[in-house]
Amino acid sequence: MYGFINTCLKSLVVEKYGEETWEKLRLQAGVQDSFLTFEVYKDEITMQLVDKACKVLGVPADLVLREFGKYFFEFCKRSGYDHMLRTLGGNLYEFIENLDALHSYLSLSYQEMNAPSFRVEKNEDGSMHLHYYSDRRGLCHIVPGIIGAAALDFFNIEISMKIVNQTEEEERTGKKEHIVFLVTQNPLFPCKGRNEFSSSSQCLVDSEKQIENQLNKENANGDTGNSVCPVKKSHWKTLRGIITLGKGKLLRGFDPVYPKTLWIDTKTFCNGLPFHMVFDKELKVKQAGVSIQKIVPGLQTMGICLDQYFRIVHPEVPFTISSIQKFINSQFVFQTRREMMPESWKERPMLELRGQMMWMEPLQCMLYLCSPLLRTLHELEERQMHIADIAPHDVTRDLILLNQQRLAEMELSNQLERKKEELRILSKHLEEEKKKTEALLYAMLPQHVANQLKEGKRVEAGEFKECTILFSDVVTFTNICAQCEPIQIVLMLNSMYLRFDRLTTVHDVYKVETIGDAYMVVGGVPVPVPTHAERVANFALGMIMAAKGVQNPVSGNPIQIRVGIHTGPVLAGVVGEKMPRYCLFGDTVNIASRMESHGVPSKIHLSSSAYQCLKYKNFEITERGEIEVKGKGKMHTYFLIRNKSATENEIMGRPMKDLDSGHEPVQSVPEVKTETIPSSHQPVKPAAEEPHNRNVRSNFCTLL
């Protein structure tokens, strides 16, 4: 099928059910997101889309197809085929009768189109039998949707269609699905002329009465000298064909006049209609036009059988009079048989003729009025024909020239559509890369700061009255570095930081930076929140737990970390132009760093201000006492033990399904053996354990 069909199906799903539903549907069907109008795609793609639509939407296939049929009609109108469809017929019967002719015309542009075929029969009760033939099985329910929408839109009638017979007929191309629909109508606006299958006899009677009353009234009121005789019933035959009161249009009751003899000689007829044939019930040729004799030399010998030189391409029926009479209202396409052509012609493409059949009852013969089916000048040259071979009155001349231009425009349109699709894909990839770049940028800087920098604006420093800062480092990191390969250190730190980074998302705290083994986060910056202390405290508890999963490359045991937390005011801003960083400045940073450096392995060390923020927040906290802090003198500090109201899974941000995995309901920081703290409360810490970057970090965070 052409991409036009799949584009219509996509438009239906997006318009009625949303872009997300289409995306889900196409992924399940395994098809691309967009289709080119003039590109031919496999039928399996359309079938897959229909099948997945039924499953995704939970709707039976017949309802999906019927809805698609209704939408396809509207989609065709919006795509520029509105006037073409409206002019097919004056009523529904004529509309359906000419659908095959429309498909034949469209095949000039859509050369690989494999359209269904329609045949319609009137019934005495006003209903119709619609015969539908298609090589594609299972799509017959589209027909009621299309025909119903056309009947309502063009002819103001509601119809009902039900399947009364369904068979498979063996044709030359294999089994063809043949569905017979019974079509009944319910007029919404009766007596509206073309809004019915055919002219209404009741409306005609009403018109007759109006005309008779008007003429009699004029006769009664007119001058007696110029009186008009009362209208007789016998005159209605003439009046019906001439007068419609107040409208000036001819009624449908027109009766043609035929001459007693045919005023044209045989030679003129065969020259004037160069492409025609007359054959009898046995398919023996009785008469042929001069051009068709030239193209098919065997036709000059009268009495040959037509099926020896031609085969029927459309409709796909057996080459018999009975089959042709059954499809008498359809356009017939004949193709010459290669084996019957002269030897020198067999390399040429075979000629196709398209036209209509007319049964001549008095002669018991069939007249085939046709023209060459040619789409372009190239096809004309391939068959070694010329424009002069086609009669001047035959519009085939104009069609060839117009279609030549039309095909050139279609090719240009196709190229533009391809370029548009390439640009759409490039734009989509560009958007994806932009998102990746923004995600990387937002990981380095706060989003509002990053956006200001992208816009070329200056980022002003901001003061935060209260926030909570956390520092952590790895115990004996210097010793580990001395005994390991650099790659082992990198792998250890990466494993630890990946765990910590995930926890920053869980507890919504901002990661400021990492320097070596030191990890720094802040709560309440860059977005002030009243729960900054609780967030950082929960993050610290998660850090202690996460560190258990990181292995010391020297001993093979889990690493230990120290954590220090302090609450206070800071100044935050962007430093530098190349590789800009969002940094915090103030004494709060120094004190938080001192809480970490004077802490105990696997413990969370709190300053007095951090304790004041947490003491009424369902945290278990123990007092450490007064200690000597480098550069700050004596400080009263505390240890954070656990969150009384949160489970370990909640602290670690594990899914709810893991809550029953056997963990303790309430998390806690395990006790660890440490050296006895002297009376001065200063923790004993060998010089080798002091991280090599401590001075760097302290200098960096010095108060402005």
Side-chain angles (χ1 to χ4, degrees):
M1 294 186 186
Y2 276 90
F4 184 82
I5 305 295
N6 296 331
T7 301
C8 174
L9 185 55
K10 174 187 175 180
S11 180
L12 168 64
V13 175
V14 171
E15 188 173 308
K16 292 189 177 294
Y17 303 100
E19 190 74 42
E20 293 181 358
T21 303
W22 164 252
E23 190 66 17
K24 180 180 178 182
L25 190 155
R26 79 164 189 87
L27 288 176
Q28 290 189 14
V31 301
Q32 62 266 46
D33 183 47
S34 60
F35 305 91
L36 301 178
T37 302
F38 301 108
E39 189 79 18
V40 179
Y41 298 87
K42 293 181 179 179
D43 289 354
E44 288 76 9
I45 293 178
T46 308
M47 300 301 185
Q48 274 282 88
L49 288 172
V50 172
D51 178 61
K52 297 305 178 183
C54 297
K55 294 178 180 178
V56 171
L57 302 177
V59 180
D62 57 334
L63 294 181
V64 170
L65 292 172
R66 187 182 290 264
E67 187 68 21
F68 174 69
K70 292 179 183 177
Y71 189 83
F72 182 71
F73 172 75
E74 294 297 331
F75 190 76
C76 289
K77 286 174 58 182
R78 294 205 302 260
S79 301
Y81 295 98
D82 185 21
H83 294 297
M84 188 181 296
L85 292 169
R86 285 184 184 276
T87 55
L88 277 185
N91 52 60
L92 187 58
Y93 175 82
E94 294 173 356
F95 176 85
I96 299 173
E97 192 178 43
N98 285 281
L99 282 177
D100 278 12
L102 174 63
H103 288 150
S104 179
Y105 167 75
L106 292 176
S107 66
L108 295 174
S109 301
Y110 299 89
Q111 298 183 14
E112 296 185 47
M113 183 172 69
N114 182 17
S117 181
F118 297 92
R119 179 168 62 89
V120 63
E121 299 171 342
K122 287 183 180 179
N123 300 323
E124 292 182 358
D125 60 355
S127 63
M128 295 187 299
H129 278 110
L130 171 60
H131 296 260
Y132 163 80
Y133 302 86
S134 177
D135 289 332
R136 302 181 178 95
R137 296 179 181 83
L139 298 181
C140 61
H141 295 288
I142 294 178
V143 178
I146 295 175
I147 301 299
L152 188 61
D153 191 324
F154 293 162
F155 311 112
N156 294 321
I157 57 174
E158 286 184 344
I159 63 169
S160 60
M161 296 179 65
K162 66 177 182 178
I163 297 175
V164 295
N165 191 25
Q166 184 170 355
T167 58
E168 287 189 347
E169 299 181 357
E170 192 74 29
E171 301 291 352
R172 290 189 307 276
T173 57
K175 290 184 178 179
K176 180 181 286 288
E177 188 175 54
H178 177 199
I179 310 292
V180 182
F181 293 95
L182 176 63
V183 185
T184 55
Q185 65 163 328
N186 303 305
L188 294 179
F189 304 102
C191 291
K192 289 289 184 181
R194 74 173 199 155
N195 296 339
E196 305 178 13
F197 289 156
S198 59
S199 300
S200 171
S201 59
Q202 183 61 43
C203 289
L204 195 56
V205 170
D206 292 343
S207 298
E208 289 180 2
K209 290 181 178 179
Q210 290 178 14
I211 296 171
E212 184 177 6
N213 292 337
Q214 182 68 17
L215 291 176
N216 288 333
K217 182 178 179 181
E218 291 177 359
N219 184 34
N221 296 333
D223 191 8
T224 55
N226 298 320
S227 62
V228 180
C229 296
V231 179
K232 297 181 180 179
K233 292 290 183 181
S234 59
H235 295 158
W236 279 114
K237 196 171 192 180
T238 303
L239 289 173
R240 255 195 232 104
I242 299 175
I243 303 172
T244 299
L245 188 63
K247 295 183 179 179
K249 294 182 180 179
L250 295 180
L251 292 176
R252 291 183 178 271
F254 167 73
D255 290 329
V257 177
Y258 299 102
K260 293 181 180 180
T261 58
L262 189 60
W263 289 90
I264 185 171
D265 62 277
T266 306
K267 184 177 180 180
T268 303
F269 188 87
C270 291
N271 284 316
L273 297 173
F275 289 94
H276 83 276
M277 290 181 288
V278 177
F279 55 94
D280 61 15
K281 290 184 177 181
E282 285 75 34
L283 304 181
K284 290 183 178 180
V285 177
K286 300 295 184 181
Q287 181 177 314
V290 293
S291 292
I292 204 169
Q293 292 180 39
K294 177 181 175 182
I295 296 167
V296 187
L299 293 182
Q300 291 178 327
T301 306
M302 296 302 148
I304 65 165
C305 287
L306 196 62
D307 57 348
Q308 294 177 355
Y309 285 85
F310 294 95
R311 66 183 185 89
I312 300 177
V313 176
H314 179 83
E316 293 178 359
V317 295
F319 210 141
T320 63
I321 283 292
S322 59
S323 297
I324 293 173
Q325 287 178 327
K326 186 187 292 186
F327 288 83
I328 194 72
N329 293 320
S330 299
Q331 280 195 339
F332 277 78
V333 178
F334 282 8
Q335 186 183 64
T336 54
R337 293 185 180 273
R338 189 176 299 276
E339 62 272 15
M340 299 302 293
M341 295 296 102
E343 195 67 30
S344 59
W345 293 9
K346 289 187 178 180
E347 297 303 319
R348 301 180 190 174
M350 292 297 98
L351 177 67
E352 290 185 346
L353 302 172
R354 179 181 62 188
Q356 70 173 112
M357 295 289 183
M358 300 180 68
W359 177 247
M360 298 180 290
E361 185 64 31
L363 300 178
Q364 290 292 294
C365 288
M366 188 72 73
L367 171 63
Y368 181 41
L369 288 172
C370 57
S371 299
L373 182 54
L374 299 170
R375 299 178 179 87
T376 62
L377 294 173
H378 178 67
E379 291 184 1
L380 192 72
E381 292 175 343
E382 282 184 327
R383 290 156 181 80
Q384 296 187 10
M385 293 178 62
H386 304 87
I387 292 290
D389 294 326
I390 305 171
H393 63 78
D394 194 338
V395 295
T396 303
R397 285 176 169 231
D398 300 326
L399 281 176
I400 293 173
L401 297 174
L402 288 172
N403 198 54
Q404 182 77 23
Q405 181 182 357
R406 164 71 174 155
L407 290 175
E409 292 174 353
M410 282 178 58
E411 180 60 28
L412 180 60
S413 175
N414 201 15
Q415 291 178 8
L416 290 174
E417 197 171 4
R418 289 179 184 277
K419 291 297 181 184
K420 179 182 175 183
E421 178 63 14
E422 290 174 7
L423 288 174
R424 189 192 68 83
I425 294 173
L426 288 174
S427 177
K428 184 178 179 181
H429 289 164
L430 181 62
E431 190 65 28
E432 291 173 356
E433 293 302 320
K434 181 182 176 183
K435 288 180 180 179
K436 291 179 184 177
T437 304
E438 288 181 345
L440 183 61
L441 182 60
Y442 295 155
M444 299 172 63
L445 295 168
Q447 186 168 342
H448 74 281
V449 172
N451 290 337
Q452 284 181 291
L453 289 175
K454 282 197 301 181
E455 294 169 4
K457 297 179 180 178
R458 181 190 177 99
V459 181
E460 300 293 338
E463 183 179 357
F464 295 85
K465 297 296 184 183
E466 187 177 73
C467 68
T468 300
I469 298 176
L470 174 149
F471 277 98
S472 75
D473 75 344
V474 178
V475 178
T476 68
F477 182 70
T478 304
N479 293 338
I480 295 173
C481 290
Q483 301 178 47
C484 294
E485 294 292 331
I487 187 63
Q488 292 177 293
I489 302 300
V490 171
L491 293 175
M492 180 193 74
L493 291 177
N494 185 58
S495 175
M496 179 178 69
Y497 288 161
L498 286 176
R499 288 169 166 80
F500 292 174
D501 289 348
R502 190 185 70 83
L503 288 172
T504 61
T505 304
V506 172
H507 299 290
D508 196 15
V509 293
Y510 179 69
K511 175 184 175 181
V512 180
E513 63 178 345
T514 59
I515 304 176
D517 65 321
Y519 196 90
M520 178 182 178
V521 300
V522 62
V525 176
V527 180
V529 289
T531 57
H532 54 85
E534 296 97 298
R535 295 185 184 192
V536 173
N538 286 323
F539 173 76
L541 292 170
M543 291 179 79
I544 300 295
M545 299 174 197
K548 298 176 187 177
V550 182
Q551 192 178 52
N552 185 326
V554 176
S555 65
N557 297 323
I559 63 169
Q560 290 183 315
I561 62 172
R562 280 183 294 261
V563 179
I565 299 175
H566 177 61
T567 299
V570 296
L571 191 71
V574 177
V575 176
E577 291 183 354
K578 290 186 177 181
M579 295 184 65
R581 298 302 305 247
Y582 187 72
C583 298
L584 307 182
F585 302 94
D587 196 44
T588 301
V589 180
N590 291 328
I591 296 175
S593 177
R594 295 289 182 253
M595 290 297 101
E596 174 265 309
S597 62
H598 290 72
V600 177
S602 297
K603 286 283 190 177
I604 301 169
H605 197 198
L606 302 179
S607 68
S608 179
S609 60
Y611 167 75
Q612 293 299 324
C613 292
L614 296 174
K615 66 180 179 179
Y616 300 117
K617 303 293 184 180
N618 274 331
F619 287 96
E620 182 179 334
I621 301 173
T622 60
E623 183 178 2
R624 181 179 185 182
E626 197 173 74
I627 63 171
E628 184 72 24
V629 177
K630 182 180 178 181
K632 297 297 177 184
K634 295 185 181 297
M635 293 184 67
H636 207 82
T637 62
Y638 303 82
F639 285 127
L640 174 64
I641 305 301
R642 65 189 179 100
N643 186 325
K644 298 177 183 178
S645 60
T647 65
E648 180 177 325
N649 288 297
E650 290 172 333
I651 293 293
M652 296 300 295
R654 298 190 183 108
M656 294 299 292
K657 63 181 181 181
D658 293 341
L659 292 182
D660 298 327
S661 59
H663 296 289
E664 291 297 324
V666 178
Q667 42 68 41
S668 63
V669 178
E671 294 291 333
V672 294
K673 293 182 179 180
T674 59
E675 296 184 17
T676 305
I677 300 175
S679 58
S680 64
H681 301 287
Q682 175 68 32
V684 177
K685 185 173 184 178
E689 290 188 17
E690 183 68 28
H692 64 281
N693 57 10
R694 182 75 62 212
N695 292 333
V696 175
R697 187 177 64 216
S698 297
N699 293 336
F700 181 78
C701 300
T702 303
L703 177 65
L704 290 176

